[in-house]
Amino acid sequence: MNQWILLTFGCGFTAALLVLLVDLIAKKAPRYRTTVAGLIAITAYAIIGYSILRIASGLPKEGYVTVSLISSSLATTLVISRLSIYVSAIAILLCIITSIYTVTYLSKSGNAAMFYALTLFLALSIVGVTISGDLLT
């Protein structure tokens, strides 16, 4: 279960930083900046979506799975249920659709990498909120 968390959030954060880094490096080729940033974001969404579907296949038919990263009463507790997987999958699907549309739309502007990085962070925060056990940890 911990590998799933690492894959989902590690992939998202890495892709957001990679989008910003590629955009910084490719300032001299503005024609391909938006396309490359969009492809990186769409690939990251696909990996996150795959990891969400993979964890959904291992869930029990009824109930939920509780994951504690460390054993403490004040530790973060994640509760993964069918509803949280459903909401997370919808959020990732909407982000994929948005990213596909904005590849052509944002090619006219020069600030597409910031948009893709922020939407990656938004998707990760939606996934994090849907699997959080409570509001404090």
Side-chain angles (χ1 to χ4, degrees):
M1 203 56 76
N2 291 344
Q3 294 89 2
W4 176 78
I5 296 167
L6 182 64
L7 175 68
T8 303
F9 290 98
C11 175
F13 285 120
T14 304
L17 292 176
L18 186 64
V19 163
L20 293 173
L21 185 65
V22 165
D23 186 62
L24 186 66
I25 292 172
K27 288 270 189 198
K28 295 179 181 160
R31 181 176 177 188
Y32 300 112
R33 280 173 46 188
T34 305
T35 306
V36 171
L39 288 176
I40 292 170
I42 291 168
T43 304
Y45 290 133
I47 293 170
I48 294 168
Y50 172 73
S51 71
I52 288 173
L53 292 177
R54 194 179 75 188
I55 198 69
S57 65
L59 285 177
K61 296 287 181 194
E62 295 179 7
Y64 54 86
V65 174
T66 304
V67 178
S68 292
L69 300 178
I70 58 173
S71 59
S72 172
S73 60
L74 297 175
T76 300
T77 303
L78 304 175
V79 179
I80 303 170
S81 65
R82 294 263 178 210
L83 178 63
S84 63
I85 294 295
Y86 179 71
V87 172
S88 298
I90 287 175
I92 296 299
L93 182 67
L94 289 174
C95 287
I96 289 173
I97 292 169
T98 303
S99 294
I100 290 171
Y101 172 73
T102 56
V103 166
T104 57
Y105 182 74
L106 289 178
S107 63
K108 299 171 186 125
S109 72
N111 214 3
M114 184 66 74
F115 173 78
Y116 289 122
L118 289 175
T119 55
L120 278 163
F121 288 138
L122 172 73
L124 290 177
S125 61
I126 290 172
V127 171
V129 165
T130 58
I131 67 171
S132 67
D134 55 24
L135 293 177
L136 296 177
T137 58

